[in-house]
Amino acid sequence: FKAAKEKNAASFALILTQSNPEMIAELLKNRGLTEKDFYIAKVAPSEIPKYLSGADAAISFIKPCFSKLSSSPTKIAEYLISGVPVISNRGVGDVAELIEEHKTGAVLKGFDEKSYLAALAELEELAKSSDLRENCRETARHEFDLEKVAGDKYRRIYEKLLER
């Protein structure tokens, strides 16, 4: 976020959490941000879509490790169905491949300012060349719809298992 703030002073961070907002605010203040730079809300999962409707981009950084190789973070689908492009990292399920293939955000090359700025620039270019928000929503419908996508896939898996 500091890289975004340096690129555009009007940048503002919305942080939705289940954790204690004061704890997160202190961490941000210790890194030189002020309360005018961010808003932290402890919200119920059912309230997340109304907050996301005002977002320009979402960040999903998850530490890559063995257990995350087959992970599919729910928040990625939530961001995309809300029309919000995602900046993420590699090593978490097929998140990076999904973002790159469908052009629904940017994937970091590293965790440094140069990589953050490159990801922000990539988002700007995507927004210029397409209806990025609608592309995000369409990708979510195509990749994450529980009835049309997941239901069929799970049914086929269970049918194969039952054949054995």
Side-chain angles (χ1 to χ4, degrees), residues 55-124:
D56 294 317
I59 297 172
S60 177
F61 298 157
I62 298 174
K63 184 178 181 179
C65 60
F66 184 73
S67 67
K68 295 298 179 186
L69 290 175
S70 62
S71 180
S72 182
T74 303
K75 65 180 160 183
I76 300 293
E78 289 176 332
Y79 296 150
L80 295 177
I81 199 64
S82 297
V84 180
V86 182
I87 297 174
S88 189
N89 59 286
R90 294 193 182 285
V92 180
D94 62 353
V95 170
E97 292 79 7
L98 177 94
I99 290 169
E100 291 171 335
E101 178 183 339
H102 295 281
K103 298 183 180 359
T104 54
V107 179
L108 292 180
K109 306 239 183 306
F111 287 101
D112 54 59
E113 186 172 357
K114 181 179 176 183
S115 296
Y116 302 142
L117 292 173
L120 291 167
E122 187 174 343
L123 280 187
E124 287 177 0

Side-chain angles (χ1 to χ4, degrees), residues 15-157:
I15 301 169
L16 307 176
T17 183
Q18 294 295 303
S19 301
N20 179 352
E22 290 80 25
M23 179 187 69
I24 298 168
E26 280 306 309
L27 292 170
L28 294 173
K29 288 177 192 173
N30 289 341
R31 287 173 173 77
L33 299 170
T34 70
E35 289 183 359
K36 293 180 181 180
D37 296 325
F38 59 86
Y39 175 74
I40 305 169
K42 186 172 184 176
V43 299
S46 62
E47 294 180 38
I48 290 175
K50 78 176 181 183
Y51 284 93
L52 289 180
S53 66
D56 294 317
I59 297 172
S60 177
F61 298 157
I62 298 174
K63 184 178 181 179
C65 60
F66 184 73
S67 67
K68 295 298 179 186
L69 290 175
S70 62
S71 180
S72 182
T74 303
K75 65 180 160 183
I76 300 293
E78 289 176 332
Y79 296 150
L80 295 177
I81 199 64
S82 297
V84 180
V86 182
I87 297 174
S88 189
N89 59 286
R90 294 193 182 285
V92 180
D94 62 353
V95 170
E97 292 79 7
L98 177 94
I99 290 169
E100 291 171 335
E101 178 183 339
H102 295 281
K103 298 183 180 359
T104 54
V107 179
L108 292 180
K109 306 239 183 306
F111 287 101
D112 54 59
E113 186 172 357
K114 181 179 176 183
S115 296
Y116 302 142
L117 292 173
L120 291 167
E122 187 174 343
L123 280 187
E124 287 177 0
E125 286 303 311
L126 285 172
K128 287 179 191 174
S129 64
S130 68
D131 184 351
L132 183 54
R133 288 188 174 277
E134 183 52 35
N135 186 41
C136 290
R137 285 188 283 271
E138 182 56 35
T139 298
R141 285 189 289 268
H142 182 263
E143 296 292 327
F144 299 111
D145 183 278
L146 290 177
E147 290 180 17
K148 295 177 184 168
V149 178
D152 287 343
K153 287 180 181 178
Y154 281 125
R155 188 170 26 267
R156 286 193 300 268
I157 290 170

